[in-house]
Amino acid sequence: MNVTVERVGNDATLKITLPAEEVNKGYKKAVAKIAGQVNIPGFRKGKAPRNVIEMHYGKEAVKQEAFELVANQCYTQALEQEKLIPVSDPKVEESVFEENKDMELTIKVTLKPEVKLGDYKELHVEKEAVEVTDEAVEEQVQGLRNRHAKMVEAEEGAVIEKGDFAIIDFAGTVDGEPFSGGEGKGYPLEVGSNSFIPGFEDQLVGLKKGDSTDVDVTFPEEYFVKELAGKQAIFKVNVQDVKRKELPELTDEYVAANSDCKTVEELRASYKERMQKAAENNAKIAYEKALIDLAVANAEFEVPEIMIEDRITQMIDEMRMSLETRKLSLEQYMQYSGIDMEQLRERQHDAAVENVKTDLVLDAVAKAENIQVSMEDVDSELSAIASQHGATLEDVKKIIKANGTMGLLLANILRRKAAHVIIDSAK
């Protein structure tokens, strides 16, 4: 077999020639394969001669089977011989395939980009210094009190403020016509929660119990009900009542009864310690990402569109599985969000580009540094997965084998080790 490769960017044309005797072997294999799969009266399976098979199924069927066997084998061998990594399905552009003749095959395929690495060691980015303020801690303390707040009626004549609950009756119309879901009675709306259409809650501020008003709003352009998206609506609103939160008094007794701490000061110290650790961890993640982003920016390569589209599909599949764990289908999510599959894919595009670029650069770093994945690395990763999901190591191994995701697991380990080369060498 002879192979020549013409590469333009990430697109390659493979020209393959194969001697006639190898083509003839392909025909024999095709006849044997078909004979072993079909039942022909008068012959045991696998024993029918070629002329009988061609009479029943046609010479073209034998030729097609032979071509697929030979072409697939040649393509696989050509990739291995030329050390090519495809990222798209091969497309046969032209071929000469006849018994007793040399085969001539032209295949076009998109290849994994050849990344020209720039600087990826001893990089420098600023690492954010983080310090949790007393104000931020106090917000957490108030959050605990809010979770145990009681709703009480506001004093007589009190006007609605942000944070109050307005008990309202409302009826909405668009172009003078009522619409589905636009009416409610005795609805408890927390003013300032932004749970209603933008602008609705602001127009209730200053009203008091017994007041009525017309609320004029416009539905967002991306509202999940397409018939209402971008439409102006008028809601006739009546304020039945105004209620306010009554927060529990912040005492040592309250803290002891509603947290793992015994005193108010201990609670504040506990919140501050946890918040500081979380802030430092987030800063570390951001710092490491900035280093890898810089290494990606320093590299030169072009990303094939097919890799981006494949990554978008993978991200949407992951989103589907995540939604299903919450008893929600992807179709329901799109309906609630007011988007279709095309819009969903478009939303994922930029993140997919970033993910693919990062993976390609980390793969190139792993190759440049001759990084290997050991069995100890694999066992450690599998043990971590098992611990995270409360499963046994054997269960995880069975699931990965059944799903055919061992290759992805190995790639992730390799890329993580490559990322540490960038991170650990940073200034």
Side-chain angles (χ1 to χ4, degrees):
M1 182 180 77
N2 182 57
V3 181
T4 60
V5 180
E6 297 174 3
R7 182 164 183 164
V8 179
N10 297 316
D11 296 323
T13 301
L14 282 62
K15 293 186 177 180
I16 303 170
T17 59
L18 189 71
E21 56 265 29
E22 296 299 322
V23 173
N24 293 344
K25 288 179 183 178
Y27 269 86
K28 288 181 180 179
K29 289 179 181 178
V31 170
K33 182 178 179 181
I34 295 172
Q37 293 174 334
V38 300
N39 291 310
I40 298 177
F43 296 91
R44 285 182 296 159
K45 185 174 284 190
K47 298 300 182 179
R50 176 173 174 175
N51 64 325
V52 174
I53 290 174
E54 289 181 341
M55 183 174 65
H56 278 78
Y57 296 97
K59 291 183 178 182
E60 193 61 34
V62 173
K63 178 181 178 180
Q64 183 62 35
E65 184 65 41
F67 176 75
E68 289 180 8
L69 287 171
V70 173
N72 286 337
Q73 183 178 3
C74 287
Y75 175 64
T76 302
Q77 289 177 350
L79 293 178
E80 185 176 344
Q81 175 181 311
E82 302 298 323
K83 294 181 172 54
L84 304 175
I85 303 176
V87 294
S88 72
D89 293 330
K91 181 179 180 182
V92 176
E93 289 291 299
E94 54 185 85
S95 66
V96 174
F97 188 80
E98 297 290 343
E99 202 167 6
N100 301 317
K101 289 185 179 181
D102 291 352
M103 180 189 75
E104 296 178 9
L105 185 62
T106 301
I107 296 176
K108 289 197 172 181
V109 66
T110 302
L111 301 176
K112 184 177 180 179
E114 295 178 341
V115 177
K116 182 181 178 182
L117 288 171
D119 291 336
Y120 63 89
K121 287 184 176 179
E122 298 186 2
L123 300 178
H124 173 73
V125 296
E126 292 295 331
K127 187 174 183 179
E128 181 186 2
V130 292
E131 183 177 354
V132 175
T133 64
D134 291 340
E135 290 78 7
V137 173
E138 209 57 37
E139 285 182 13
Q140 292 295 312
V141 173
Q142 291 304 311
L144 176 65
R145 296 177 70 198
N146 276 320
R147 288 193 292 275
H148 295 92
K150 295 179 181 178
M151 299 307 301
V152 298
E153 287 192 19
E155 64 274 13
E156 191 67 30
V159 298
I160 296 172
E161 300 173 0
K162 285 193 175 180
D164 289 344
F165 278 80
I167 313 303
I168 59 172
D169 302 328
F170 61 91
T173 58
V174 171
D175 297 329
E177 296 294 329
F179 55 89
S180 177
E183 185 175 356
K185 297 284 187 182
Y187 187 92
L189 173 62
E190 184 178 3
V191 178
S193 65
N194 297 319
S195 55
F196 267 32
I197 306 164
F200 188 104
E201 295 165 27
D202 292 339
Q203 296 179 53
L204 302 184
V205 173
L207 300 179
K208 58 183 184 294
K209 179 178 179 179
D211 284 351
S212 296
T213 190
D214 286 348
V215 173
D216 189 347
V217 290
T218 301
F219 284 96
E221 291 292 340
E222 293 189 356
Y223 193 63
F224 71 92
V225 180
K226 291 185 178 180
E227 293 76 13
L228 299 176
K231 296 288 184 68
Q232 184 180 15
I234 302 294
F235 286 86
K236 292 192 174 297
V237 177
N238 175 61
V239 181
Q240 282 191 17
D241 207 348
V242 179
K243 293 184 180 292
R244 286 184 175 157
K245 290 180 183 178
E246 186 178 81
L247 300 180
E249 186 180 357
L250 187 62
T251 63
D252 292 345
E253 291 75 18
Y254 167 75
V255 168
N258 294 282
S259 74
D260 295 331
C261 302
K262 295 180 180 179
T263 67
V264 174
E265 288 310 308
E266 188 181 331
L267 177 70
R268 289 193 173 107
S270 175
Y271 274 144
K272 186 159 189 173
E273 181 181 1
R274 278 184 284 170
M275 292 168 69
Q276 185 68 33
K277 286 181 179 178
E280 288 173 357
N281 186 57
N282 290 338
K284 178 175 179 287
I285 292 171
Y287 166 71
E288 293 177 352
K289 183 179 183 302
L291 286 169
I292 293 170
D293 287 347
L294 182 55
V296 172
N298 289 341
E300 296 180 19
F301 60 102
E302 292 183 7
V303 180
E305 192 62 33
I306 184 67
M307 293 189 74
I308 298 170
E309 291 302 317
D310 286 349
R311 182 56 59 92
I312 292 173
T313 299
Q314 179 185 334
M315 292 166 69
I316 290 176
D317 287 344
E318 291 169 355
M319 180 186 295
R320 185 190 300 276
M321 288 188 288
S322 176
L323 289 167
E324 286 173 356
T325 62
R326 290 176 274 162
K327 310 299 182 185
L328 189 68
S329 71
L330 182 66
E331 289 69 27
Q332 288 171 321
Y333 168 80
M334 290 192 293
Q335 182 180 357
Y336 296 153
S337 303
I339 58 174
D340 56 23
M341 181 57 74
E342 183 179 350
Q343 291 169 313
L344 180 60
R345 292 185 69 87
E346 180 60 32
R347 287 185 179 184
Q348 305 297 323
H349 184 270
D350 291 350
V353 171
E354 182 180 351
N355 289 347
V356 171
K357 283 184 173 182
T358 299
D359 285 352
L360 288 170
V361 169
L362 292 177
D363 288 347
V365 170
K367 183 178 180 181
E369 297 289 327
N370 194 29
I371 297 173
Q372 305 294 325
V373 176
S374 66
M375 284 308 302
E376 289 78 7
D377 294 327
V378 175
D379 289 342
S380 176
E381 183 76 6
L382 293 175
S383 297
I385 294 172
S387 176
Q388 181 182 353
H389 293 89
T392 66
L393 184 59
E394 288 305 313
D395 286 340
V396 172
K397 288 181 178 178
K398 287 178 183 177
I399 292 171
I400 288 177
K401 184 177 180 181
N403 293 340
T405 52
M406 180 55 76
L408 180 60
L409 180 79
L410 295 174
N412 287 338
I413 297 172
L414 192 72
R415 288 165 185 159
R416 190 157 58 245
K417 294 179 80 169
H420 274 289
V421 171
I422 300 170
I423 295 164
D424 296 343
S425 67
K427 293 180 181 178

